[in-house]
Amino acid sequence: MFSQDSTNTLIRALRENAPVGTGTEPHLLAVIADSAAHPGRLVRARLVHAAALAHGLDSGTAEQLACSVEYFHLASLLLDDLPCMDDAETRRGRPCAHRVHGEASTILAALAFINRAYALANLAFAPQAPAVRVSAHLCLDACLGTAGLVGGQALDLRFAEGAADARAVAVVAMRKTAALFWLSVVFPALLANPTAAELHELKALCLYWGLAYQAVDDLSDLLASSIETGK
């Protein structure tokens, strides 16, 4: 579905658009550089990049939009791995950022990625009509806020305290995994001014795609090593 050339292009773009400069504090720089250099499978970024190109964005702007979504994802991983969250030891076959560079630098790196992600998204949508820009802002809020990724993580942290049934598992997956697929698919699709019916179908696709992806991901965690799964 995706060529190696497009993957290499996105890896380069993630480094070039990373939120660093000549005066960036060394520990903060290290977290950002390590995270951008080891982005995993780039499933979401590749979806955004392909959709953005299909909807008429030039290659540079399409890369910016793809980096925006991937930076949101990277920030969520940095925060998820912290001791106060999942208390993870490894990510993608490497020690987690907070175990190498410290918790404070990791939190600041996540904030830096989020800040740059919003900036890149705004730049990509800047030439669009006002209504499209408003839809883009609302999409970001729905996917990343308390109704989406943030809310899903909060539910996940308290998962063991409630009824750990199939519905509870699905709700967490819907808020976390499906929300990021929604961002990866619906967000760039807004460039094409989709109808309400088209948006409904895209969101349904992302919901079921997210649930399936989470199920496969959870199964991989049980059967494979962190290096094999890319985590």
Side-chain angles (χ1 to χ4, degrees):
M1 180 178 179
F2 301 107
S3 69
Q4 186 59 46
D5 286 343
S6 67
T7 300
N8 292 337
T9 293
L10 289 174
I11 292 174
R12 172 191 54 75
L14 286 171
R15 292 172 177 168
E16 292 180 354
N17 289 287
V20 296
T22 55
T24 306
E25 192 276 330
H27 293 85
L28 176 60
L29 173 63
V31 181
I32 294 172
D34 285 352
S35 300
H38 301 88
R41 291 168 288 188
L42 290 174
V43 173
R44 297 158 191 83
R46 290 186 292 178
L47 283 170
V48 177
H49 187 246
L53 290 174
H55 295 318
L57 289 190
D58 62 78
S59 58
T61 308
E63 290 170 16
Q64 287 183 330
L65 194 60
C67 286
S68 171
V69 172
E70 188 59 30
Y71 288 159
F72 283 127
H73 180 227
L74 281 175
S76 75
L77 299 183
L78 291 173
L79 296 174
D80 281 356
D81 289 340
L82 289 169
C84 61
M85 301 284 272
D86 293 343
D87 195 17
E89 295 185 1
T90 61
R91 168 69 65 178
R92 294 166 177 165
R94 298 163 54 85
C96 289
H98 68 273
R99 295 185 179 274
V100 178
H101 305 290
E103 295 175 32
S105 293
T106 298
I107 293 171
L108 291 174
L111 292 174
F113 275 125
I114 292 170
N115 185 66
R116 181 56 57 87
Y118 276 113
L120 291 175
N122 285 334
L123 287 173
F125 276 89
Q128 305 301 316
V132 175
R133 296 200 301 271
V134 170
S135 295
H137 289 305
L138 292 175
C139 181
L140 287 172
D141 183 52
C143 293
L144 301 172
T146 54
L149 183 60
V150 171
Q153 182 61 46
L155 290 174
D156 199 15
L157 290 172
R158 302 297 181 185
F159 185 78
E161 299 175 7
D165 53 19
R167 184 181 182 280
V169 172
V171 169
V172 172
M174 180 180 66
R175 293 280 191 92
K176 293 178 65 176
T177 309
L180 280 174
F181 274 115
W182 179 4
L183 188 62
S184 303
V185 174
V186 175
F187 193 43
L190 296 174
L191 295 163
N193 292 308
T195 65
E198 289 171 333
L199 280 176
H200 178 76
E201 292 175 356
L202 285 175
K203 290 176 182 178
L205 171 66
C206 293
L207 170 60
Y208 293 115
W209 198 353
L211 292 175
Y213 186 92
Q214 187 63 57
V216 171
D217 197 52
D218 290 343
L219 185 60
S220 296
D221 287 344
L222 293 174
L223 301 178
S225 69
S226 62
I227 296 177
E228 292 171 327
T229 60
K231 290 187 174 181

